[in-house]
């Protein structure tokens, strides 16, 4: 049973006062280990902004991916060590806003959108991405107890950040040849697509629905190994392709669900 469940359904045994005191203490506690991972993720995002300001865009993009990895670890560490807390949840959400909202927007703006036209259009698009990330995180925090845990509602902000950072990394290292005259437009489209996808209601598969503790079939293991080898051989291209596919998957799943619901309604009539 989760920590939130404990708050709503406390133990009714004789030890209830002690249990409630323990839950109350855990709710207000600040734990070092998971918050250390959150702080490290926040530092990577901050350092990414600093590197973008100095013109090292490839390294700035790589730091966003490091921030993603660390952000994914803090929650798992908290669950493994039973150190979840309300402070940790709020701290993680604020760090996510910097890591996956502010940092990618500033990196993309500094890289391509700063000199786009008069500069205002690029500024607006970068800010739209930032606002969409804030709205996505706020909606996630308020709907966490009511949505289907198998799916995210809208593109998750780390995936949107990976889409933006992956494109920056891919082009900065000349792994993708884009003409200079077209590149600002493509950068603008990628930023706008990533931002608006976050505030849609499209369903995206959640990795939380996967239980890695259970055995997997041999074909799935081969696919995982193939993906791992592809990432090692060409990290920017593979990561960008994976997150593009994931970003598009929500639109495909949403379309299929809509067709299925329409078919069900027609059959009922």
């Amino acid at each position: 049973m989760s920590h939130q469940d404990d708050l709503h359904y406390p133990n009714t045994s004789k030890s209830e006062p002690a249990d409630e005191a323990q839950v109350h203490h855990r709710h207000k506690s600040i734990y070092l280990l998971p918050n250390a991972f959150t702080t490290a993720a926040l530092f990577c995002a901050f350092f990414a902004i600093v590197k973008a300001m100095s013109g090292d865009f490839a390294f700035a993009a790589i730091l966003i991916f490091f921030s993603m990895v660390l952000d994914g670890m803090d929650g798992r560490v908290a669950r493994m060590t039973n150190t979840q807390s309300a402070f940790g949840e709020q701290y993680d959400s604020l760090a996510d806003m910097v890591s996956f909202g502010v940092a990618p927007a500033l990196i993309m703006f500094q890289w391509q959108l700063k000199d786009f036209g008069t500069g205002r259009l690029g500024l607006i698009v970068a800010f739209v991405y930032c606002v969409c990330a804030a709205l996505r995180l706020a909606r996630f925090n308020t709907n966490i107890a009511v949505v289907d845990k198998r799916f995210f509602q809208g593109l998750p902000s780390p995936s949107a950040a990976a889409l933006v950072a992956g494109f920056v990394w891919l082009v900065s290292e000349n792994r993708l040849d884009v003409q200079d005259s077209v590149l600002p437009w493509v950068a603008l489209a990628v930023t706008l697509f990533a931002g608006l996808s976050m505030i849609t209601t499209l369903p995206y598969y959640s990795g939380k629905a996967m239980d890695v503790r259970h055995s997997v079939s041999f074909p799935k293991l081969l696919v995982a190994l193939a993906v791992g080898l592809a990432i090692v051989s060409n990290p920017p291209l593979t990561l960008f392709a994976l997150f593009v596919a994931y970003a598009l998957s929500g639109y495909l799943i949403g379309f299929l669900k809509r067709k299925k619901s329409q078919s069900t309604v027609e059959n009922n009539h």
Side-chain angles (χ1 to χ4, degrees):
M1 185 176 289
S2 68
H3 167 60
Q4 290 181 344
D5 292 334
D6 289 339
L7 293 178
H8 288 89
Y9 303 101
N11 191 350
T12 55
S13 63
K14 293 181 180 179
S15 61
E16 180 177 350
D19 291 341
E20 286 185 350
Q22 184 178 5
V23 168
H24 182 71
H25 170 72
R26 186 175 299 281
H27 188 70
K28 293 205 157 193
S29 297
I30 299 175
Y31 296 98
L32 176 62
L33 189 58
N35 291 319
F37 281 97
T38 305
T39 303
L42 183 60
F43 172 76
C44 286
F46 173 78
F47 196 29
I49 295 173
V50 172
K51 298 305 290 183
M53 292 171 62
S54 64
D56 193 351
F57 299 109
F59 189 38
I62 292 171
L63 286 167
I64 296 297
F65 283 98
F66 274 113
S67 184
M68 281 183 59
V69 173
L70 291 166
D71 177 71
M73 292 176 65
D74 59 3
R76 286 172 173 80
V77 168
R79 288 189 292 271
M80 289 172 58
T81 57
N82 198 25
T83 53
Q84 303 100 317
S85 66
F87 175 87
E89 292 174 2
Q90 297 302 319
Y91 184 37
D92 180 67
S93 183
L94 291 171
D96 286 352
M97 181 58 210
V98 177
S99 300
F100 311 128
V102 176
L106 288 177
I107 291 170
M108 186 63 89
F109 176 77
Q110 194 73 15
W111 180 53
Q112 287 295 328
L113 302 182
K114 179 173 66 175
D115 300 321
F116 191 89
T118 61
R120 292 182 180 179
L121 181 58
L123 178 65
I124 291 171
V125 170
F127 180 66
V128 165
Y129 174 90
C130 196
V131 170
C132 289
L135 293 172
R136 173 67 177 79
L137 290 166
R139 184 176 64 183
F140 176 80
N141 291 339
T142 55
N143 291 352
I144 191 169
V146 297
V147 297
D148 187 347
K149 295 188 182 300
R150 296 174 302 167
F151 296 95
F152 290 118
Q153 191 179 37
L155 182 66
S157 57
S159 299
L163 196 61
V164 172
F167 182 71
V168 175
W169 186 11
L170 190 62
V171 178
S172 296
E173 289 199 348
N174 298 319
R175 305 292 182 93
L176 182 66
D177 187 17
V178 182
Q179 294 182 358
D180 292 340
S181 59
V182 180
L183 182 56
W185 289 97
V186 179
L188 184 143
V190 170
T191 307
L192 199 58
F193 171 75
L196 295 179
S197 294
M198 284 190 282
I199 59 172
T200 65
T201 56
L202 295 171
Y204 284 88
Y205 278 116
S206 169
K208 296 177 182 179
M210 299 172 57
D211 192 348
V212 296
R213 295 173 297 179
H214 295 167
S215 60
V216 296
S217 62
F218 187 68
K220 291 182 179 180
L221 179 61
L222 288 179
V223 170
L225 289 174
V227 171
L229 289 174
I231 292 175
V232 171
S233 62
N234 195 337
L237 180 60
T238 305
L239 288 171
F240 181 68
L242 286 173
F243 283 104
V244 166
Y246 182 66
L248 294 175
S249 70
Y251 291 86
L252 178 60
I253 296 171
F255 173 76
L256 294 176
K257 283 192 170 186
R258 190 174 298 108
K259 291 289 289 184
K260 184 178 180 180
S261 63
Q262 289 176 354
S263 177
T264 303
V265 171
E266 290 174 358
N267 292 335
N268 291 337
H269 287 296

